[in-house]
Amino acid sequence: MPIDDYLTLQGAVRQVLGLDLGHYKREQMERRLRAYATQRGYSDLGGLARALGQQPALGGELVSYLTIHVSEFFRDPNFFGHLKELMAALPPRSGKPLQAWSAGCSIGAEAYSLAMLLLEERGAGGAQILATDVDQKSLDRAKAGLYREDELKKVDPERLRRYFAAEDGQFRVRDDLRREITFRHHDLLRDPYPVDQDIILFRNVAIYFTEDAKSHVLSNLARSLAPHGLLMVGATEAILRPLELGLRQVRPFFFARA
Ligand SMILES: C[S@@+](CC[C@H](N)C(=O)[O-])C[C@H]1O[C@@H](n2cnc3c(N)ncnc32)[C@H](O)[C@@H]1O
């Protein structure tokens, strides 16, 4: 039987990077990996697996290449309108800031959008926002907070003035907004989850997860919610049997603990 070089590479990625490609849809991952291998001059995925074993530094680049990072500020503006409304109805926390988590935050656009909304609704220090991703390169960009104009097209001029400073033709997030967020490396398929979250944004992350991995992550996220917490998924994502995962739907793309 011929050797399945995809499985060879899957093993090397798991061993060197701790990332389990078995939880991602093979077709999409394999296409990306073969394109990457060709680009880098490896004859097949086995060659790439050997190179990864010899130069673990290749790993960071590979994770970045495998994961999709497309994001923008105030992606799906309707969503932020609903969020503002639902947030106003959350019961007050006694002496504790609201806890929010952007899970799979990519370059940080989602977390900063959420931070603007929370600053305006709850004031400075009214919320603690955690933003996590498995891709360190994206996290580094998120922390740097420097964005091109096209990434900011849905930020209105008033917010642009208030929260950003122009820098070499781009825009840098001001410190008072950045201070609202903690960025951290986190693999949703492996690492322990934070608990007692009032708001979790899990948008456009599960697109390449297998159905089993998606269900597993969604039931973990359900357990991470505070009793009245809200979980949000992307505008093109559906949860078919939410109750089986410990969730109930409260609006399109918004879920609460069942
Ligand atoms: C398309 S971006 C979505 C960004 C943002 N949530 C949005 O909707 O604009 C998907 C992100 O999920 C991250 N991701 C993929 N697998 C992950 C995993 N196992 N754990 C954490 N993040 C993951 C990717 O690195 C990528 O940055």
Side-chain angles (χ1 to χ4, degrees), residues 5-34 36 45 48-49 52 59 62-67 134 187 189-190 208-211 213:
D5 61 348
Y6 181 80
L7 292 184
T8 308
L9 182 59
Q10 186 174 310
V13 169
R14 191 185 299 118
Q15 201 181 352
V16 178
L17 302 170
L19 183 73
D20 192 347
L21 290 181
H23 295 310
Y24 291 82
K25 290 177 187 155
R26 172 163 175 166
E27 199 187 321
Q28 283 88 348
M29 286 298 126
E30 186 166 352
R31 195 181 325 119
R32 293 179 80 77
L33 282 165
R34 291 205 185 277
Y36 178 82
L45 298 184
L48 181 56
L52 186 63
L62 198 63
V63 174
S64 262
Y65 191 86
L66 276 177
T67 44
V134 73
D187 182 350
L189 297 166
R190 192 179 67 155
Y208 296 120
F209 287 0
T210 61
E211 282 309 311

Side-chain angles (χ1 to χ4, degrees), residues 90-110:
L90 284 177
R93 285 241 178 202
S94 53
K96 199 178 166 193
L98 182 138
Q99 307 290 304
W101 179 20
S102 164
C105 66
S106 182
I107 56 171
E110 175 180 88

Side-chain angles (χ1 to χ4, degrees), residues 79-93:
F79 166 94
F80 283 89
H82 284 295
L83 178 59
K84 188 172 161 180
E85 228 177 86
L86 289 168
M87 233 164 52
L90 284 177
R93 285 241 178 202

Side-chain angles (χ1 to χ4, degrees), residues 24 67-69 71 75 104 106 110 133 186-188 203-204:
Y24 291 82
T67 44
I68 311 285
H69 310 290
S71 192
R75 188 174 193 171
S106 182
E110 175 180 88
D133 204 282
H186 180 269
D187 182 350
L188 286 157
R203 301 161 71 222
N204 311 301

